[in-house]
Amino acid sequence: MGRLMRVELRRYLARQAVRWLVVGMVAAVLLTGFAAWRASRPPSEAQLAEAQQQVTLAQADWAQHGAEYMTQCRAQQEQARQTDPSADFQCDRGAPTVESFLPPRQTFAANAYDSLGQVATFVLLLSLIVGATFVAAELSTGAMSTWLTFEPRRGRVFASKAAVASVVTGTAALAVSVLAVGALWVATAVNHATGQVEAQTLVDLGNGSARIAVAAAGAALLGAGLGFLLRHTAAVIASVIAWFIAIDGILVSGLLQAPRWAAATNLQAWLRAGTTYYQQGPCVTDPLGGLACNPVQKTLPMAAGGLTLVAALAVVAALAWVVFRRRDVA
């Protein structure tokens, strides 16, 4: 099996499509760094002058109507807390300052984790395509039938391809995530906008990178499994898009009102170490005779989301193995 794995690894790395997808991952890192550099730049002299003019007018208005504004803010905050207990409108922040009229400035400490999450979306999509093209290209061109003349045991072929696709892609995703964190650090450090970086921030980024790597390995395995089933990379991509739109978006989250079981919700829970979602709560009749249905906020832990994804992946892998074992690949 080890020898077969080495052969599959060489075939994996020799594919031109895989190389281009790796280039795409590197491009994502560079774009992330460039976006962080732009978002962390200090305000220009023109922006400072305009902000100073705006704050002068705002402070004059606050002196006359500040108490009224705070009362309205607290009332709106209490109303929002009926559906979201954590709602905080910062009603006690006081009079406007110059910073209120300047464009928000990104720092590494405050924004690196969210930026890493944005990289994850692109990395997972590429990982899915890598896994799909690694398998589907051989099936659609007939190369798989030739390969089976050298290794007729389909179980070993299936396992080696799935293992190489998931392990190598997961390793590449981990490297990309680490590089993205480094790019964010350099981009913000150039603009002296790293912020107050604590040890927990680095721990969170490290854990987030590891979860992205695991998710990428799963995405590559899913792509490989769907490649065995559908035999064409384009069909795999189309089926995944259709799933997220029709099943996740319309059926599960819309008609069934069960966002807990949507793939996107569980993936978010895994990548973000837990997530929240809203589900329709009990409906009551309001004083005017109408029906009011307030959404209920619920929490999905990381472990629950991860186990749900593993179960779904196991189903796809098992189905792919059964089809590959029984179907003619010529």
Side-chain angles (χ1 to χ4, degrees):
M1 187 66 179
R3 186 176 180 181
L4 185 59
M5 289 277 291
R6 289 193 294 271
V7 174
E8 289 290 0
L9 177 60
R10 288 196 295 270
R11 298 176 74 190
Y12 178 90
L13 298 177
R15 290 198 58 80
Q16 187 175 6
V18 172
R19 296 175 182 174
W20 278 111
L21 291 171
V22 171
V23 171
M25 290 186 179
V26 175
V29 171
L30 297 178
L31 288 174
T32 299
F34 178 71
W37 173 78
R38 284 181 57 89
S40 61
R41 289 182 300 176
S44 63
E45 293 295 332
Q47 289 174 326
L48 287 172
E50 183 179 357
Q52 187 60 56
Q53 294 176 359
Q54 294 292 333
V55 76
T56 301
L57 297 174
Q59 288 178 345
D61 180 68
W62 181 268
Q64 298 181 3
H65 307 289
E68 179 183 350
Y69 293 155
M70 293 179 65
T71 301
Q72 293 176 354
C73 179
R74 292 192 181 99
Q76 294 172 357
Q77 178 177 272
E78 289 300 321
Q79 184 178 1
R81 286 180 176 177
Q82 294 178 4
T83 56
D84 183 7
S86 62
D88 184 7
F89 291 0
Q90 299 181 357
C91 300
D92 299 324
R93 60 182 179 271
T97 61
V98 174
E99 288 74 15
S100 303
F101 296 91
L102 291 173
R105 189 181 181 192
Q106 180 173 307
T107 65
F108 179 85
N111 302 101
Y113 191 77
D114 291 334
S115 297
L116 184 62
Q118 296 171 4
V119 173
T121 302
F122 190 69
V123 169
L124 294 183
L125 177 60
L126 292 184
S127 299
L128 175 76
I129 298 174
V130 165
T133 190
F134 180 50
V135 172
E138 293 194 16
L139 288 168
S140 61
T141 59
M144 182 67 75
S145 59
T146 304
W147 179 236
L148 289 175
T149 62
F150 293 95
E151 176 51 78
R153 291 170 292 187
R154 296 195 179 196
R156 290 166 62 88
V157 173
F158 180 90
S160 61
K161 285 188 174 296
V164 167
S166 59
V167 172
V168 177
T169 305
T171 303
L174 179 61
V176 167
S177 300
V178 173
L179 288 175
V181 172
L184 291 168
W185 173 270
V186 172
T188 53
V190 167
N191 291 326
H192 305 287
T194 55
Q196 188 66 33
V197 181
E198 300 178 354
Q200 187 59 43
T201 302
L202 301 179
V203 171
D204 291 340
L205 290 171
N207 292 337
S209 299
R211 289 194 300 271
I212 291 174
V214 173
L221 183 57
L222 175 63
L226 292 176
F228 278 113
L229 290 172
L230 303 177
R231 302 170 67 96
H232 293 279
T233 304
V236 172
I237 298 173
S239 66
V240 171
I241 294 175
W243 175 278
F244 276 100
I245 294 176
I247 305 301
D248 254 29
I250 299 176
L251 180 61
V252 177
S253 299
L255 297 178
L256 299 181
Q257 290 292 316
R260 158 65 180 91
W261 302 107
T265 304
N266 288 276
L267 182 59
Q268 186 75 359
W270 172 256
L271 293 176
R272 304 289 296 183
T275 189
T276 58
Y277 62 94
Y278 289 91
Q279 192 166 0
Q280 182 174 308
C283 298
V284 296
T285 304
D286 60 27
L288 299 178
L291 197 62
C293 302
N294 294 323
V296 178
Q297 185 181 29
K298 294 190 176 182
T299 300
L300 181 62
M302 177 186 69
L307 289 175
T308 302
L309 295 175
V310 168
L313 186 59
V315 171
V316 174
L319 183 60
W321 158 237
V322 170
V323 171
F324 178 62
R325 183 180 180 183
R326 297 178 178 273
R327 186 169 59 187
D328 185 7
V329 298

